[in-house]
Amino acid sequence: LGLEAFERAMRADVARTGATHWVEKTPDHVFHVERMMARYPDARFVHVLRDGRDVVTSLLAFPSIVPHARTRSARLLAGCALWEWMALAGMRAHRNAVRGGRFGTIRYEDVVRAPRSSLRSLLDWAGVPAGADHLATVHRELESGRGNSSYEPDAAGVYGTAIGRWRDPGFMSDEERAVVEWLV
């Protein structure tokens, strides 16, 4: 999707919903933060950092995420490399942008374990006014069971079972786990 089409879609969604703010969560955008900051001077950017071992576990479970890695071993190595590449890009963007207060980092695990306080902190940082009713509505949405991932469309919102999944031998063997722990 081109930038103009993306912006038209966002404007239409804001007009349709009456929203005052919107969130776009494509993980690959971590590589384009500086350009986006220049184009959207009032935007805030949040880097969601997740335990790399769980990221690799998800990549192993959903081969379509790294389609060129045709074998499980290739997906495992690609997952480790992808996590590190994205985590480093996020840290670099954070270092370059933090001075203006426009870039923040949150841990996925913190959001899952304490969604209400994480959401409150995030909205406060972003300068988004939200009363208790609005926070309760958003929290219900997060727990509603509706998936919000293009990678895991059947996933149930924000859920704790995705934390520590790398320890489960049903998801990753001991040998794979050792490789992942060494690489991430």
Side-chain angles (χ1 to χ4, degrees), residues 38 70 74 83 86 92 109 112 120-121 124 129 144 146 150 165 167 175:
R70 291 182 173 32
W83 178 84
M86 293 179 96
R92 185 173 39 259
E109 294 79 9
V112 172
R120 168 83 285 160
S121 295
D124 287 347
S144 70
R146 291 184 304 146
S150 58
R165 213 171 17 186
R167 290 183 185 97
E175 182 180 86

Side-chain angles (χ1 to χ4, degrees), residues 25 108 111-112 115 138-149 152-162:
K25 64 180 195 89
Y108 174 85
V111 173
V112 172
V138 172
H139 190 259
R140 276 193 306 278
E141 289 280 322
L142 290 172
E143 292 184 327
S144 70
R146 291 184 304 146
N148 65 351
S149 171
E152 298 182 60
D154 297 325
V158 175
Y159 56 105
T161 58

Side-chain angles (χ1 to χ4, degrees), residues 56 59-63 65-83 175-176 179-180 183:
V56 174
L59 293 173
L60 288 173
F62 297 93
I65 299 172
V66 282
H68 299 310
R70 291 182 173 32
T71 66
R72 186 171 172 89
S73 295
R75 282 195 309 278
L76 183 124
L77 294 175
C80 292
L82 182 61
W83 178 84
E175 182 180 86
E176 290 171 329
V179 170
V180 171
L183 290 175

Side-chain angles (χ1 to χ4, degrees), residues 11-174:
R11 282 192 299 272
D13 198 41
V14 165
R16 180 181 54 77
T17 63
T20 58
H21 297 79
W22 55 269
V23 175
E24 202 295 314
K25 64 180 195 89
T26 303
D28 302 12
H29 286 169
V30 73
F31 300 116
H32 308 285
V33 171
E34 288 183 27
R35 279 188 285 163
M36 289 187 299
M37 283 188 162
R39 182 151 182 121
Y40 307 106
D42 295 329
R44 301 261 180 153
F45 299 85
V46 179
H47 180 224
V48 180
L49 186 59
R50 184 177 177 199
D51 185 320
R53 298 165 298 188
D54 281 326
V55 171
V56 174
T57 301
S58 289
L59 293 173
L60 288 173
F62 297 93
S64 62
I65 299 172
V66 282
H68 299 310
R70 291 182 173 32
T71 66
R72 186 171 172 89
S73 295
R75 282 195 309 278
L76 183 124
L77 294 175
C80 292
L82 182 61
W83 178 84
E84 183 169 352
W85 189 31
M86 293 179 96
L88 289 173
M91 287 184 251
R92 185 173 39 259
H94 184 98
R95 183 182 63 242
N96 293 341
V98 75
R99 289 181 292 286
R102 296 179 58 199
F103 193 95
T105 299
I106 60 173
R107 300 234 6 125
Y108 174 85
E109 294 79 9
D110 294 341
V111 173
V112 172
R113 288 184 181 119
R116 287 180 194 260
S117 61
S118 295
L119 180 61
R120 168 83 285 160
S121 295
L122 180 63
L123 293 175
D124 287 347
W125 170 80
V128 177
D133 289 343
H134 183 248
L135 282 173
T137 300
V138 172
H139 190 259
R140 276 193 306 278
E141 289 280 322
L142 290 172
E143 292 184 327
S144 70
R146 291 184 304 146
N148 65 351
S149 171
S150 58
Y151 297 133
E152 298 182 60
D154 297 325
V158 175
Y159 56 105
T161 58
I163 296 176
R165 213 171 17 186
W166 62 272
R167 290 183 185 97
D168 184 336
F171 285 100
M172 196 181 304
S173 71
D174 290 342

